[in-house]
Amino acid sequence: MMHDPEAIRDFVVQECELLDQGDFPAWLDLFDDRGFYWIPRAIEQVDPENEISLLYNSKPILAVRLNRLSHPRQHSIAPPYRSSHVVNVIGIDRPETEDGLIEVRSRFIMHEYHAEKERLFSGRFVHHLALAPGSSLKIRMKRVELTNCDAAFEPIEWPI
């Protein structure tokens, strides 16, 4: 049975809201145990394991990264980061596939503010969502396709 498109849109918007609130435990809980977060280095990149990516983390590695960000002695993020996402879900491409994944494409703009510096990220999110027991959605993959993915970046500390 196909999942409700409105519930899928709400899920993607809620995910961005959790990031803007800095609620990393709740954000990480949105990921399936086999889930991963990926920022490719090239728009057409298809292999995160054999090609260089800006970021490629499995859920356990993402947990370590997020714990580091929230540690009270983490001075590189003092003062704390702030972000604001604007997201528009533009397509639900595979509402029913053999692997049970729902592919959701959306466009985003994310404003980041930290230590009196501002950065703007934009591009496309591609989510592969799994339907978990109890009909809840879980992220199997979040791919962040940055418009300027081939530019030079300062470290990306805060999830996009």
Side-chain angles (χ1 to χ4, degrees):
M1 182 170 94
M2 185 172 142
H3 210 74
D4 176 24
E6 189 172 326
I8 292 168
R9 286 185 198 91
D10 290 348
F11 180 88
V12 173
V13 170
Q14 179 62 27
E15 183 221 354
C16 290
E17 185 64 24
L18 291 172
L19 287 173
D20 290 344
Q21 294 170 0
D23 191 345
F24 295 140
W27 181 69
L28 189 63
D29 191 48
L30 295 178
F31 281 80
D32 181 87
D33 288 340
R34 296 179 290 162
F36 62 94
Y37 177 75
W38 179 25
I39 306 176
R41 179 74 171 92
I43 294 288
E44 301 300 323
Q45 186 174 344
V46 295
D47 185 353
E49 295 181 3
N50 295 307
E51 299 177 50
I52 295 173
S53 296
L54 295 172
L55 193 73
Y56 179 61
N57 291 153
S58 63
K59 184 176 180 178
I61 299 300
L62 200 52
V64 170
R65 179 182 181 80
L66 296 175
N67 284 336
R68 182 185 59 80
L69 281 176
S70 60
H71 194 278
R73 289 198 233 164
Q74 177 58 288
H75 300 294
S76 71
I77 63 162
Y81 279 79
R82 292 188 295 225
S83 69
S84 179
H85 286 77
V86 177
V87 65
N88 181 25
V89 175
I90 58 171
I92 302 171
D93 285 340
R94 293 184 291 164
E96 290 290 332
T97 61
E98 287 184 22
D99 59 8
L101 296 180
I102 302 164
E103 182 173 286
V104 183
R105 292 177 297 113
S106 52
R107 294 287 175 185
F108 74 92
I109 297 173
M110 183 257 218
H111 177 254
E112 176 186 271
Y113 179 76
H114 176 250
E116 299 182 13
K117 292 182 182 177
E118 297 179 63
R119 293 198 295 182
L120 189 65
F121 297 97
S122 67
R124 181 171 82 153
F125 291 143
V126 178
H127 287 82
H128 287 183
L129 304 178
L131 195 55
S135 297
S136 65
L137 294 168
K138 292 289 186 177
I139 300 169
R140 179 73 51 84
M141 187 237 356
K142 179 180 181 181
R143 177 182 166 119
V144 180
E145 297 175 351
L146 294 173
T147 304
N148 61 338
C149 61
D150 48 359
F153 285 96
E154 289 186 27
I156 298 174
E157 295 277 347
W158 198 260
I160 296 173

